[in-house]
């Protein structure tokens, strides 16, 4: 009885709270509809507001010009309450549902709907609906109108017309370093229950930047006259690193589909269970990209930037004292190969000390390419008083839309430096965030020590003594030893392959340290990418294989030539495959990442003991 009273009390409190008006910032009014529908089929257009007292709902203007309103808007309210750790939360919402039917084919944008809550009016979000033509198969058969939830195909098998994968390339003729989008999309007329074991090309000759897919959603799409349920499996923005014809290899996914068995003479209710699941490997066709070289006439300040950019500059102060720091900040913003941009050169006068710049990247990758900002901070310290001028900074890029080079320039920076405080032993003043390399300038003349003075007799002559001869011989011997070591080092450094081989393990260790940081921060995708770069870099350096020829087959062949055990070779290739497929494998855990990291270190250690140069 007490428990029932407690529950009723909670419900009463929740009802009271839900009836209270929300603040303007807390009200949400959202519209939703399927992104694609078939002509002649019905679909639902819904508007949801998180209050109960909304009034005067107005549908998007012009809605009935392209769609018939069959039913609605019909309101429905819902309340929910939850008690977690003694803390109760409640929510309410009102959903207005409209049953619509498109009048014609095309892509239509719905304007926001409006609703009044109290004395305020709120607008919903805009929607875009693509109305597809009827499936050609149904038109030929004169069948019933296709429903939105299905493809209209009574397919009972998994042939290449009913389910397949395409590699869609946004542009097959691009300039060097010009980004383009590659999409791997699955098309199906049968029900898909799972997608796994994805294997995609290595994109040799390209810099690849993956587009993050928030969720895999089935969307209707008309292709070759058929209405397929489609899902995007992978999207990547590629930047070609060389000109010429470059082929993108085929991709593969394993799809599990549910299909009907052939009809048999069985009971009526057996038809509800007359399905089976079938797995099929789907391959996309390779695509060749024509990469054009950048035209001649490159400006002096061009360093490989391709895309569309703007540049702004800022200096923190123009009047300062000697030994104080000044910071010049350049901000480059735009879309293109922004991750590869080199820092523009800032020419400081000789009497100003300059330190390594601090670079901050804020870049996002979407279907439109990589875009964002790159901020470079240059810190300089004038050592003497006077008036100085820092010349204008120039930055050039190739504009792919205009097909020409463009140059951006800042204004010159003028500094007025006054004499610093005399006799001050204080450190250099700096407002720069990284002060590790800032020098301390003290006084030019130090006080002469006067304590613990030791005088040497003028009769003690060092020149010509036994100690002098021994010192002379030691210097000569050390010179000969250092000369021999130096010649040997020069000879070894001239052998680039040998240098790469010797530094392979050291370079891999540095990359694995970075991977360990990503592992500790639980950054799964970045962790696997860093481990993959460490392994490919190690194998390329150790086996002296050029980047363009670095494939699994070549690595396996080279390792066999060095007498490496097949088990160790398979261990390396398994780690590489795990990293490549990690983002598509479900339920990844930190334990799996820890295990993979340990396996990588162990495999490299075994390889170092096997191949010694």
């Amino acid at each position: 009885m007490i428990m029932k009273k407690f529950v009723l009390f909670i419900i009463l409190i929740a009802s009271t709270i839900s009836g209270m008006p929300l603040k303007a910032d807390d009200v949400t009014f959202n519209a939703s509809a399927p992104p694609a529908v078939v002509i002649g089929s019905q679909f639902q257009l819904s508007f949801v507001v998180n209050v109960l007292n909304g009034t005067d709902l107005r549908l998007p203007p012009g809605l009935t010009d392209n769609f018939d309103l069959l039913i609605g808007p019909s309101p429905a309210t819902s309340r929910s309450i939850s008690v977690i750790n003694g803390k109760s939360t409640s929510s309410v919402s009102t959903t207005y549902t409209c049953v619509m039917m498109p009048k014609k084919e095309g892509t239509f944008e719905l304007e926001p709907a409006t609703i009044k809550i109290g004395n305020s009016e709120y607008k919903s979000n805009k929607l875009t609906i693509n109305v597809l033509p009827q499936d050609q198969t149904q038109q030929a058969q004169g069948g019933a109108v296709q429903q939105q939830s299905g493809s209209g195909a009574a397919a009972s098998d998994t042939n290449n017309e009913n389910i397949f994968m395409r590699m869609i390339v946004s542009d097959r003729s691009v300039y060097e370093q010009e980004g383009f989008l590659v999409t791997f999309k699955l098309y199906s007329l049968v029900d898909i229950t799972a997608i796994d074991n994805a294997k995609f090309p290595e994109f040799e000759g390209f810099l690849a930047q993956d587009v993050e897919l928030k969720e895999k959603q089935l969307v209707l799409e008309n292709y070759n006259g058929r209405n397929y349920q489609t899902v995007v499996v992978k999207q990547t923005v590629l930047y070609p690193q060389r000109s010429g014809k470059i082929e993108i290899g085929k991709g593969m996914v394993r799809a599990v589909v549910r299909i009907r068995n052939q009809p048999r003479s069985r009971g009526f209710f057996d038809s509800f269970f007359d399905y089976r699941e079938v797995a099929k490997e789907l391959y996309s066709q390779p695509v060749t990209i024509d990469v054009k070289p950048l035209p001649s006439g490159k400006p002096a300040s061009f360093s490989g930037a391709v895309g569309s950019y703007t540049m702004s500059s800022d200096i923190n102060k123009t009047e300062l004292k000697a030994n104080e720091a000044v910071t010049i900040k350049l901000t480059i913003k735009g879309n293109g190969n922004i991750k590869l941009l080199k820092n523009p050169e800032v020419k400081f006068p000789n009497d100003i000390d300059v330190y390594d710049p601090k670079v901050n990247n804020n870049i996002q990758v979407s279907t439109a390419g990589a875009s964002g900002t790159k901020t470079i901070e240059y810190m300089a310290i004038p050592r003497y008083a006077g008036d100085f001028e820092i010349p204008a900074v120039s930055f050039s890029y190739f504009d792919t839309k205009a097909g020409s080079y463009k140059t951006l320039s800042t204004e010159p920076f003028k500094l007025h430096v006054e004499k610093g405080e005399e006799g001050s032993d204080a450190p250099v003043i700096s407002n720069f965030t990284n002060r590790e390399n800032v020098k301390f300038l003290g006084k030019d003349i130090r006080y002469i020590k006067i304590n613990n003075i030791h005088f040497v007799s003028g009769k003690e002559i060092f020149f010509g003594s036994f100690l002098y001869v021994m010192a002379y011989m030691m210097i000569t011997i050390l010179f000969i030893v250092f000369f021999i070591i130096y010649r040997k080092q020069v000879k070894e450094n001239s052998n680039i392959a040998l240098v790469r081989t010797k530094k392979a393990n050291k370079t891999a260790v540095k990359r694995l340290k970075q991977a360990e940081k990503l592992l500790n921060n639980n950054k799964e995708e970045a962790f696997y990418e860093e481990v993959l770069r460490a392994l490919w870099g190690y194998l390329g350096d150790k086996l002296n294989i050029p980047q363009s020829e670095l494939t699994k087959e070549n690595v396996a062949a080279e390792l066999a030539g060095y007498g490496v055990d097949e088990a160790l070779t398979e261990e390396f290739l398994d780690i590489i495959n795990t990293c490549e497929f990690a983002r598509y494998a479900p339920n990844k855990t930190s334990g799996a990442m820890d295990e993979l990291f340990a396996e990588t270190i162990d495999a490299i250690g075994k390889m170092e003991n096997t191949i010694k140069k």
Side-chain angles (χ1 to χ4, degrees), residues 400-546:
T400 54
K401 294 182 179 179
S404 61
Y405 295 97
K406 294 185 178 180
T407 300
L408 306 173
S409 298
T410 67
E411 295 293 329
F413 303 100
K414 294 184 179 181
L415 296 178
H416 176 69
V417 182
E418 296 181 353
K419 189 175 181 180
E421 296 180 5
E422 295 184 4
S424 174
D425 286 329
V428 172
I429 300 172
S430 170
N431 65 342
F432 196 69
T433 54
N434 183 8
R435 308 184 187 183
E436 294 177 358
N437 296 324
V438 178
K439 296 178 181 179
F440 174 87
L441 291 185
K443 299 178 179 179
D444 294 332
I445 301 176
R446 301 292 186 180
Y447 289 110
I448 299 174
K449 285 187 177 183
I450 59 175
N451 296 328
N452 300 325
I453 299 175
H454 173 67
F455 294 98
V456 179
S457 173
K459 296 180 181 180
E460 298 178 8
I461 301 175
F462 176 71
F463 182 77
S465 64
F466 175 77
L467 187 60
Y468 170 80
V469 174
M470 289 300 296
Y472 188 85
M473 291 179 63
M474 287 298 298
I475 293 173
T476 304
I477 293 172
L478 289 175
F479 175 78
I480 295 173
V481 172
F482 287 139
F483 180 76
I484 294 172
I485 295 174
Y486 173 76
R487 289 296 301 271
K488 183 181 178 181
Q489 190 69 33
V490 169
K491 186 177 180 180
E492 290 181 353
N493 289 341
S494 63
N495 188 343
I496 298 176
L498 183 60
V499 172
R500 286 185 61 191
T501 302
K502 286 188 174 183
K503 292 184 178 180
N505 185 53
K506 185 177 180 181
T507 305
V509 169
K510 287 183 179 179
R511 289 173 174 166
L512 288 176
K513 285 183 179 179
Q514 179 62 25
E516 187 176 15
K517 293 180 181 178
L518 298 172
L519 170 64
N520 295 332
N521 293 330
N522 201 25
K523 295 183 178 180
E524 180 181 329
E525 184 175 349
F527 165 76
Y528 285 112
E529 289 180 358
E530 194 64 33
V531 173
L532 191 61
R533 279 196 291 266
L535 285 175
W536 279 122
Y538 173 78
L539 291 172
D541 292 341
K542 194 70 177 177
L543 304 177
N544 194 27
I545 300 177

Side-chain angles (χ1 to χ4, degrees), residues 185-299:
K185 184 183 288 188
L186 192 63
Y187 292 73
S188 179
L189 294 175
V190 292
D191 293 334
I192 303 173
T193 59
I195 300 174
D196 54 21
N197 290 350
K199 298 180 181 178
F200 297 105
E202 297 179 357
F203 303 118
E204 294 183 7
F206 299 92
L207 171 68
Q209 298 180 4
D210 289 342
V211 178
E212 183 180 357
L213 300 177
K214 295 183 179 179
E215 59 181 12
K216 292 181 173 62
Q217 181 181 3
L218 289 172
V219 178
L220 272 176
E221 181 178 325
N222 188 274
Y223 178 70
N224 289 340
R226 304 296 305 275
N227 290 328
Y228 292 89
Q229 292 283 0
T230 67
V231 60
V232 175
V233 182
K234 180 183 178 68
Q235 283 188 317
T236 302
V237 180
L238 299 182
Y239 295 90
Q241 301 300 295
R242 57 180 173 84
S243 59
K245 303 284 186 180
I246 307 179
E247 183 180 82
I248 303 176
K250 59 185 178 182
M252 188 277 287
V253 295
R254 177 179 174 270
V256 180
V257 298
R258 188 171 68 97
I259 61 175
R260 281 203 308 264
N261 290 322
Q262 295 296 328
R264 291 174 289 181
S265 299
R266 302 178 65 181
F268 173 77
F269 292 102
D270 290 342
S271 60
F272 290 96
F273 309 95
D274 203 14
Y275 289 90
R276 59 192 173 94
E277 288 191 343
V278 176
K280 182 176 181 179
E281 290 186 348
L282 307 174
Y283 294 87
S284 63
Q285 294 299 317
V287 173
T288 300
I289 306 298
D290 181 19
V291 183
K292 299 173 288 186
L294 295 177
S296 58
K298 299 175 183 177

Side-chain angles (χ1 to χ4, degrees), residues 2 27 36 87 129 141 224 231 237 257 312 333 348 387 430 513 562 607:
I2 296 176
V27 175
K87 192 178 284 187
I129 301 177
Q141 296 174 351
N224 289 340
V231 60
V237 180
V257 298
S312 60
K333 182 179 181 181
F348 290 90
D387 291 320
S430 170
K513 285 183 179 179
Y562 280 104
M607 189 66 71

Side-chain angles (χ1 to χ4, degrees), residues 315-317 320-328 346-356 377-386 388 390 415-418 420 426-442:
I315 185 169
N316 66 334
K317 53 187 172 182
L320 64 160
K321 294 182 179 182
N323 297 330
E324 288 184 354
V326 61
T327 302
I328 294 176
V346 180
K347 297 180 180 179
F348 290 90
N350 294 331
D351 292 335
I352 297 180
D353 287 349
V354 185
Y355 300 93
D356 292 338
E377 293 185 42
Y378 301 85
M379 187 187 73
I381 299 177
R383 298 305 188 187
Y384 304 101
F388 301 90
I390 302 172
L415 296 178
H416 176 69
V417 182
E418 296 181 353
V428 172
I429 300 172
S430 170
N431 65 342
F432 196 69
T433 54
N434 183 8
R435 308 184 187 183
E436 294 177 358
N437 296 324
V438 178
K439 296 178 181 179
F440 174 87
L441 291 185

Side-chain angles (χ1 to χ4, degrees), residues 89-129:
T89 57
S90 63
S91 62
V92 297
S93 65
T94 303
T95 302
Y96 301 88
T97 304
C98 303
V99 178
M100 313 294 298
M101 179 179 288
K103 295 180 180 180
K104 53 187 176 181
E105 301 172 13
T107 301
F108 306 99
E109 185 174 278
L110 304 186
E111 295 296 322
T114 60
I115 192 172
K116 283 188 177 181
I117 300 172
N119 296 326
S120 302
E121 184 178 83
Y122 295 87
K123 289 185 177 182
S124 70
N125 52 295
K126 291 184 178 181
L127 291 174
T128 300
I129 301 177

